[in-house]
Amino acid sequence: MKHYEPQKEEIISAGIDIGTSTTKIVISKFSLMNMAGGAHMPRIEIIDKEVLYRSPIYRTPLLSATQVNIKAVEALVLKEYEQAGIKPADIKTGAVIITGETATKQNAQEMVYHLSDHAGEFLVATAGPDLEAIIAAKGSGAYEYSKKTGKTIANIDIGGGTANVAVYKSGKLCGTCTLHIGGRLVEFAGARIQSISPPIKKLFTQWGASIREGGSRSLADLTSLTDYMAAVISRMLNRNLLESDQPLLLGHKPNWQEEIDAIMFSGGISECIYKYEASTQGIAEYDDIGELLAASLRESKELNSWQWVKPEETVRATVLGAGTQTTEISGATIHVESSDLPLRNLPVYQVPFYKDLQSGLDGLPAAVSRAVEIFDPQQEGQNFALYITGLPYMGFRAIQELAAKITETAKLKPNRQQPLVLVLDSDHAKVLGQTLKVQSPGQSIICIDQINVEHGDYIDIGHLLQTSVVPVVIKTLTFNH
């Protein structure tokens, strides 16, 4: 009798976080294994994640107030790879993310593309504030805490320029919010104020305060500012921001409905509170308001009305989340064309069948037309993935019908040369992909399953691995209540 040998594979993941104040890198190893018995359909899962290497924490290299030093960042990343004993070609998944105020630099996007071309097979290339909040909550331990306890916890990740908040209940994302609150929004040179960020200038104008660049630093004035920031965080958690708080709001208002049970702080300001990193004490050299802000948070009566849960990680929460929490693994019975991978930043449009094949088929053309209207309004060929859910039990004939309708409907897409990307919640990817290929031999087909994604998410699909699966990064950018 043949002995069943489970399929195993190890892949290397990197997380690179280029933030307002600091840049850090983490290298991790994922162990993949077929968890199904020999006679069953393969089911590849990530069974272990191990952090292999954590870089020191570097000051983010800047050319000017508006530009990141791309060459210096690349040199720093490659030097750290060497320290970790890996090469760019070894990296199969992970994320380069530009966080906080760095994301607003003129050449931020250029740097992301440069790094993903030169530093490994990255999937998530950049993070907007919502995604950054989610990644930090996973790296800090807040997400796991919510899963274990069933409580509603807000993770407040505060760095140099922004406070990114993600609220989780029982492992489910409830919503996010981002504020212009951070340690480097006011910086000093000796006894003078060197720089004040635009949102804080707006606030000072609103208050009629005389604090200005070049002026002397007044502890009383600056403590008033950081106490106010702590109060704004508290109002945001209660979803009752005032009109006067608007200069500090970045993007949308708090969008969760749940009452918060506990709070967790991560990011550089959390490091000022908890001092986990012995070697980075004094990294800010007190040339900004970071330590003052940490003190205001600790002493805030409003914030202390919640239970405080200690984070697993402080300043490294986002980079650990990026390196270890952004990747999922597809089903093993999929149909992909390797030459078209990787694919990045594909928006997902859900087409629910509700277990009724005919009504689902009837609704497909309208769904594809709507997806084109939303994601490719200028008809420039922005590709998207159709997420087909709720398929009924399907025999040979039903698969043929579904494939025929998808082939016909795909003609509504402006760019017919693009891969047709389908994500299924049921185990039909291989048979559907092969049937589509027979019906449209010239069409490139990417058909994957066993991925839990939502309408409005974005996905990245990586190269085919030895275990016949693909790493998939799901970027949740919208929230529906």
Side-chain angles (χ1 to χ4, degrees):
M1 185 173 159
K2 189 183 172 193
H3 175 65
Y4 168 65
E5 192 62 51
Q7 276 175 290
K8 277 186 181 176
E9 183 173 6
E10 288 180 341
I11 60 171
I12 302 290
S13 168
I16 302 175
D17 175 14
I18 300 152
T20 308
S21 310
T22 59
T23 290
K24 44 257 173 212
I25 297 155
V26 65
I27 308 292
S28 309
K29 179 173 72 178
F30 295 173
S31 300
L32 275 52
M33 188 185 241
N34 182 4
M35 302 304 286
H40 295 88
M41 201 94 82
R43 193 178 80 252
I44 310 294
E45 290 181 11
I46 297 172
I47 55 162
D48 191 36
K49 296 175 183 179
E50 180 193 349
V51 175
L52 301 177
Y53 178 79
R54 298 164 180 238
S55 77
I57 294 170
Y58 292 96
R59 266 289 165 85
T60 297
L62 300 176
L63 285 172
S64 68
T66 57
Q67 288 202 306
V68 183
N69 187 334
I70 296 176
K71 281 203 168 76
V73 170
E74 185 187 7
L76 186 156
V77 169
L78 295 177
K79 183 183 94 176
E80 287 304 311
Y81 281 7
E82 208 172 304
Q83 286 289 323
I86 62 152
K87 298 188 287 294
D90 297 332
I91 292 164
K92 299 299 175 210
T93 187
V96 181
I97 55 173
I98 300 204
T99 55
E101 304 273 299
T102 316
T104 64
K105 304 290 183 219
Q106 288 169 5
N107 60 346
Q109 207 62 39
E110 183 193 337
M111 187 183 65
V112 161
Y113 289 132
H114 184 83
L115 274 184
S116 49
D117 283 345
H118 293 79
E121 193 47 69
F122 293 103
L123 294 181
V124 177
T126 184
D130 286 340
L131 184 60
E132 188 187 333
I134 291 163
I135 290 172
K138 289 187 171 176
S140 71
Y143 164 76
E144 274 303 322
Y145 175 88
S146 79
K147 264 172 76 169
K148 279 181 193 156
T149 62
K151 289 185 176 178
T152 303
I153 186 165
N155 190 70
I156 305 146
D157 187 79
I158 312 179
T162 54
N164 300 88
V165 182
V167 176
Y168 276 91
K169 180 179 185 176
S170 306
K172 185 148 180 61
L173 180 67
C174 304
T176 60
C177 186
T178 301
L179 298 168
H180 288 291
I181 290 179
R184 298 192 71 78
L185 295 182
V186 180
E187 293 182 271
F188 314 121
R192 304 250 153 225
I193 293 175
Q194 184 178 33
S195 67
I196 303 172
S197 75
I200 305 303
K201 281 182 181 169
K202 203 169 175 185
L203 206 58
F204 287 158
T205 304
Q206 202 169 278
W207 294 352
S210 58
I211 308 165
R212 56 185 175 76
E213 288 168 344
S216 58
R217 59 198 265 188
S218 149
L219 188 61
D221 287 342
L222 294 167
T223 303
S224 296
L225 171 65
T226 57
D227 286 351
Y228 177 73
M229 286 175 165
V232 171
I233 290 172
S234 177
R235 287 195 284 275
M236 178 269 306
L237 293 172
N238 281 319
R239 307 186 307 284
N240 60 3
L241 286 170
L242 307 174
E243 191 57 43
S244 54
D245 300 335
Q246 291 307 305
L248 296 190
L249 183 65
L250 197 171
H252 61 76
K253 290 180 179 175
N255 57 3
W256 55 88
Q257 308 300 322
E258 297 74 6
E259 295 302 315
I260 290 163
D261 302 313
I263 58 177
M264 185 181 281
F265 287 96
S266 62
I269 299 304
S270 165
E271 178 55 29
C272 294
I273 296 171
Y274 294 110
K275 309 287 186 203
Y276 284 8
E277 307 257 342
S279 62
T280 61
Q281 285 187 11
I283 189 168
E285 299 297 336
Y286 306 107
D287 59 359
D288 59 31
I289 56 169
E291 291 285 351
L292 276 180
L293 177 55
S296 291
L297 296 173
R298 273 195 308 267
E299 291 156 22
S300 161
K301 279 200 179 72
E302 297 97 335
L303 289 173
N304 278 293
S305 66
W306 282 285
Q307 176 194 353
W308 284 43
V309 181
K310 276 192 167 185
E312 286 170 20
E313 295 286 341
T314 54
V315 68
R316 296 177 194 264
T318 305
V319 74
L320 272 158
T324 63
Q325 299 288 340
T326 53
T327 300
E328 289 190 23
I329 295 295
S330 74
T333 50
I334 58 175
H335 178 95
V336 297
E337 298 183 30
S338 293
S339 58
D340 288 315
L341 296 176
L343 290 170
R344 291 194 177 100
N345 288 321
L346 287 178
V348 171
Y349 192 89
Q350 187 175 3
V351 187
F353 271 61
Y354 304 113
K355 302 290 182 195
D356 182 338
L357 184 64
Q358 197 50 55
S359 70
L361 293 176
D362 292 344
L364 253 177
V368 173
S369 296
R370 182 80 181 119
V372 171
E373 198 179 297
I374 294 170
F375 302 126
D376 195 13
Q378 307 303 316
Q379 306 273 305
E380 292 164 338
Q382 158 69 51
N383 205 358
F384 53 85
L386 286 180
Y387 180 41
I388 298 176
T389 61
L391 287 170
Y393 169 78
M394 295 207 297
F396 176 75
R397 184 168 291 171
I399 290 281
Q400 293 276 336
E401 272 186 74
L402 175 59
K405 192 67 173 182
I406 290 170
T407 299
E408 178 196 324
T409 308
K411 293 172 185 167
L412 297 167
K413 290 176 67 184
N415 181 352
R416 306 271 292 284
Q417 308 309 309
Q418 286 170 332
L420 178 59
V421 184
L422 303 166
V423 181
L424 310 182
D425 66 347
S426 57
D427 228 344
H428 294 102
K430 194 174 188 85
V431 65
L432 178 60
Q434 289 174 340
T435 309
L436 283 162
K437 196 66 189 168
V438 169
Q439 293 185 5
S440 311
Q443 174 70 60
S444 170
I445 311 284
I446 307 285
C447 195
I448 63 173
D449 57 25
Q450 289 182 35
I451 289 290
N452 185 17
V453 67
E454 289 185 17
H455 189 64
D457 287 352
Y458 281 67
I459 60 171
D460 295 342
I461 305 172
H463 281 301
L464 190 65
L465 303 176
Q466 291 163 17
T467 31
S468 301
V469 295
V470 287
V472 179
V473 172
I474 297 161
K475 298 182 264 192
T476 304
L477 303 178
T478 58
F479 309 98
N480 304 307
H481 292 295

